[in-house]
Amino acid sequence: MKVQRVADPSEFEATLASTLSSAAGRVFVVVFGTEEAATGESWCPDCVTSDPLIRKAVLTVKDSVLVEVPAGDRATYRDPKNFYRNHEQLKVTAVPTLYEFGKDGKVVKKLVESEITSASLAVFVQ
């Protein structure tokens, strides 16, 4: 599994397009609450819990790429004008959200927040 990170919302489209065109395998995108500087962990407890499960599941997919997309600190994420909340395809309603994108740049499927479990991830990556 290769991992790429979107450092800023302005880089999302270019990073996704580049990843989709160069990836040999499937492309997964996880939107999560940004890590806090003091702890190195996301402010979002569900994100902290889901992260290792997502990585373990995606790792089983040959030549997969996981694009990490921090959605901001709590206040930035909760802002109704948040880029990822308003993105045409993402329309994030909760974090974490895991997407699979097809080579055509469209969302194939997604899991949102409490839907992310070991069992659901096993099915998601099949």
Side-chain angles (χ1 to χ4, degrees), residues 20 26-28 89 98-111 124:
L20 289 169
R26 293 162 62 189
V27 175
F28 300 92
Q89 287 198 72
L98 178 66
Y99 302 86
E100 180 176 357
F101 274 80
K103 292 289 187 179
D104 62 357
K106 305 282 186 213
V107 172
V108 175
K109 53 189 168 180
K110 71 179 180 177
L111 290 173
F124 191 82

Side-chain angles (χ1 to χ4, degrees), residues 52-61 118 121-122 125:
L53 302 176
I54 292 168
R55 290 175 188 283
K56 182 178 178 183
V58 173
L59 190 60
T60 67
V61 180
S118 293
L121 285 164
V125 300

Side-chain angles (χ1 to χ4, degrees), residues 48-91:
V48 173
T49 303
S50 297
D51 182 63
L53 302 176
I54 292 168
R55 290 175 188 283
K56 182 178 178 183
V58 173
L59 190 60
T60 67
V61 180
K62 184 179 183 205
D63 298 324
S64 61
V65 179
L66 179 63
V67 179
E68 301 175 336
V69 181
D73 61 22
R74 187 183 305 265
T76 302
Y77 167 70
R78 292 194 186 274
D79 184 338
K81 295 178 183 174
N82 181 284
F83 176 84
Y84 301 107
R85 288 183 174 276
N86 292 289
H87 186 274
E88 184 178 329
Q89 287 198 72
L90 299 179
K91 301 259 187 240

